[in-house]
């Protein structure tokens, strides 16, 4: 049976770099504290006039070019974000207009930093049941607009950016082999938008414990669903939140470091954009080839978690 697979990727990173040294001047922190506790060295911040729509559209245009399809061939656009430009209209509808994707349905998906993995699983359903041929999934975030720049416990962690993937049918044996989605609303209060300040509020230690547990359990569950084992994994793209969480997951999975993609030092936590930005880098650098097994796992606000196992389709006749 043919499955949905990724046929193109793209990403967009804002130009402005915010270093740990600059943060030292803004809050009581140090480069040393941030690097040892999180692995983050710098992050990108979108310009004042650069909103989530722009970040999303820029990444989407690159993904369409890499998939070699035009916007009019899109059937559905899903924008995964916790920082949409407004409650409505959906940012996905604005992207639809910006791209000129006249035929595409469009909606936003809010699943925190797990958004993109949720989005891949969602988009794949529409393709595999025959309803649609091409689905564009975008993770786009302007976290800087909901960051409390006087709160050292959160402002050092996040960054802005966007990544996108086009889904389409791929030849038999390839594509998204398994998905796992989950939520625990009881933990929602650990990571939320504070109503008074309209900024992120987080219980870091609770989120950390949750993240380490999820990142240890979900990969194994996903691989079992796909009928695979840890040895089959060629590349693991974990959500880029904290190097200590990534290292703990890699250890639990007995994965050597070269099989775990890390870019948290350059971008910080870009929420729903983190996995698709990493994915696009992986593709551009040729780190994943035809037939390779790719594992993605995200976790975040909700609390939510989600992951996908993908047998990579390297291109050619579909
Ligand atoms: C936030 C996080 C890096 C903090 O690391 P930690 O080792 O748990 O640190 P703690 O929260 O125990 O804080 C240790 C001390 O550092 C201080 N501290 C917090 N942020 C700091 C900063 N930026 N600079 C310097 N000191 C800081 C704390 O106030 C605390 O001081 P205290 O002991 O005097 O109270 C870590 O908990 C984490 O990564 N959590 C998960 C966050 C996450 O991934 N969120 C997004 C999910 S999608």
């Amino acid at each position: 049976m043919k499955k949905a697979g990724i046929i193109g990727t793209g990403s967009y990173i804002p130009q402005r770099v915010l270093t740990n040294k600059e943060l030292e001047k803004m809050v009581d922190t140090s480069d040393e504290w941030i690097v040892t506790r999180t692995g983050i060295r710098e992050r990108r911040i979108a310009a004042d006039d650069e909103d989530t729509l722009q970040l999303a559209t820029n990444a989407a245009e690159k993904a369409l070019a890499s998939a070699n399809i035009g916007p009019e061939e899109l059937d559905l656009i899903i924008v995964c974000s916790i920082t949409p430009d407004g409650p409505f209209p959906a940012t996905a509808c604005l992207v639809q207009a910006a791209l000129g994707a006249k035929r595409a349905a469009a909606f936003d998906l809010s699943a925190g930093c797990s958004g993109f993995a949720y989005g891949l699983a969602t988009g794949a359903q529409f393709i595999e049941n025959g309803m649609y041929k091409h689905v564009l999934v975008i993770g786009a975030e302007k976290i800087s607009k909901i960051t409390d720049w006087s709160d050292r416990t959160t402002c050092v962690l996040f960054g802005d950016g966007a990544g996108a993937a086009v889904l389409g049918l791929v030849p038999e044996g390839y594509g998204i082999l398994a998905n796992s989605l989950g939520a625990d609303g009881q933990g929602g209060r650990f990571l939320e938008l504070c109503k008074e300040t309209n900024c992120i509020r987080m219980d870091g230690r609770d989120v950390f414990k949750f993240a380490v547990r999820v990142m240890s359990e979900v990969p194994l569950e996903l691989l079992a669903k796909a009928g695979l084992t840890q040895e089959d994994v060629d590349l693991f793209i974990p959500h880029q939140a904290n190097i200590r969480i990534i290292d703990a997951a890699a250890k639990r999975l007995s994965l050597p470091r070269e099989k775990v993609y890390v870019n948290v030092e350059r971008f910080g936590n870009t929420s729903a954009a983190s996995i698709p930005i990493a994915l696009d880098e992986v593709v551009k650098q040729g780190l994943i080839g035809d037939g390779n097994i790719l594992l993605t796992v995200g976790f975040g606000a909700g609390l939510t978690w989600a992951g996908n196992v993908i047998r990579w389709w390297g291109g050619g006749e579909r």
Side-chain angles (χ1 to χ4, degrees), residues 27-30 33-34 37-38 113 151-154 156-158 191 202-209 211 239 241-242 244-245 269 271 299-301:
V27 286
D28 181 14
T29 191
S30 67
W33 191 96
I34 302 170
R37 300 290 176 122
T38 72
C113 304
D151 175 12
R152 69 174 182 175
T153 68
T154 54
V156 301
L157 303 176
F158 298 95
L191 179 52
M202 181 177 75
D203 295 328
R205 280 176 223 182
D206 292 298
V207 176
F208 189 89
K209 275 187 247 158
H239 170 46
N242 185 318
R244 287 154 57 209
I245 297 171
N269 180 348
S271 184
F299 59 87

Side-chain angles (χ1 to χ4, degrees), residues 82 112-113 143 146-148 151 154 158 185-204 207 300-303:
I82 55 164
C113 304
I143 306 284
I146 56 161
T147 299
D148 178 349
D151 175 12
T154 54
F158 298 95
Q186 298 283 354
R189 65 186 186 283
F190 294 148
L191 179 52
E192 60 189 1
L193 192 72
C194 170
K195 287 197 181 73
E196 285 78 46
T197 61
N198 209 35
C199 288
I200 300 168
R201 197 208 63 77
M202 181 177 75
D203 295 328
V207 176
L303 298 169

Side-chain angles (χ1 to χ4, degrees), residues 2-317:
K2 281 191 169 190
K3 287 189 171 292
I6 292 171
I7 62 166
T9 63
S11 62
Y12 174 76
I13 308 296
Q15 269 192 334
R16 161 96 167 94
V17 177
L18 177 64
T19 63
N20 291 350
K21 281 278 166 216
E22 287 173 87
L23 281 166
E24 284 180 1
K25 295 180 198 139
M26 296 159 66
V27 286
D28 181 14
T29 191
S30 67
D31 175 52
E32 197 263 332
W33 191 96
I34 302 170
V35 172
T36 52
R37 300 290 176 122
T38 72
I40 301 166
R41 293 182 184 277
E42 58 187 43
R43 69 287 293 142
R44 299 299 179 103
I45 304 296
D48 288 344
D49 61 355
E50 209 171 27
D51 48 21
T52 301
L53 165 65
Q54 248 117 38
L55 304 179
T57 306
N58 291 346
E61 282 171 346
K62 292 183 190 167
L64 288 177
S66 120
N68 202 19
I69 67 164
E72 68 288 346
E73 291 176 77
L74 284 176
D75 300 298
L76 173 64
I77 299 170
I78 304 174
V79 171
C80 313
S81 184
I82 55 164
T83 50
D85 291 330
F88 70 91
T91 303
C93 292
L94 304 177
V95 171
Q96 188 243 31
L99 291 176
K102 292 195 182 73
R103 290 194 316 108
F107 63 85
D108 286 358
L109 189 159
S110 175
C113 304
S114 320
F116 185 76
Y118 255 83
L120 281 189
T122 307
Q125 309 306 311
F126 288 99
I127 290 174
E128 285 169 15
N129 73 15
M131 185 164 165
Y132 292 142
K133 270 179 84 173
H134 295 123
V135 177
L136 174 64
V137 184
I138 307 169
E141 302 282 14
K142 187 172 179 177
I143 306 284
S144 57
K145 73 178 176 186
I146 56 161
T147 299
D148 178 349
W149 292 105
S150 65
D151 175 12
R152 69 174 182 175
T153 68
T154 54
C155 76
V156 301
L157 303 176
F158 298 95
D160 300 336
V166 180
L167 293 175
L169 275 184
V170 289
E172 213 167 316
Y174 291 94
I176 301 178
L177 306 180
N179 296 300
S180 175
L181 309 179
D184 172 14
Q186 298 283 354
R189 65 186 186 283
F190 294 148
L191 179 52
E192 60 189 1
L193 192 72
C194 170
K195 287 197 181 73
E196 285 78 46
T197 61
N198 209 35
C199 288
I200 300 168
R201 197 208 63 77
M202 181 177 75
D203 295 328
R205 280 176 223 182
D206 292 298
V207 176
F208 189 89
K209 275 187 247 158
F210 154 75
V212 169
R213 182 173 57 75
V214 160
M215 293 298 267
S216 308
E217 293 173 4
V218 177
L220 296 174
E221 181 201 325
L222 269 166
L223 290 168
K225 266 191 185 174
L228 300 170
T229 67
Q230 287 124 283
E231 286 79 52
D232 297 312
V233 176
D234 293 298
L235 195 67
F236 177 34
I237 302 185
H239 170 46
Q240 308 285 316
N242 185 318
I243 193 65
R244 287 154 57 209
I245 297 171
I246 295 173
D247 283 344
K251 196 169 162 206
R252 176 73 196 270
L253 289 168
S254 311
L255 283 180
R257 193 60 192 270
E258 62 272 16
K259 288 192 172 183
V260 183
Y261 192 74
V262 176
N263 65 12
V264 70
E265 72 281 1
R266 286 179 286 131
F267 303 133
N269 180 348
T270 57
S271 184
S274 106
I275 290 177
I277 290 172
L279 177 64
D280 189 44
E281 290 194 331
V282 158
V283 172
K284 298 277 150 53
Q285 291 170 29
L287 297 177
I288 186 127
D290 190 72
N292 281 174
I293 293 292
L294 175 70
L295 174 67
T296 69
V297 181
F299 59 87
L303 298 169
T304 57
W305 58 93
N308 326 93
V309 179
I310 303 167
R311 190 181 297 279
W312 193 255
W313 178 68
E317 204 56 41

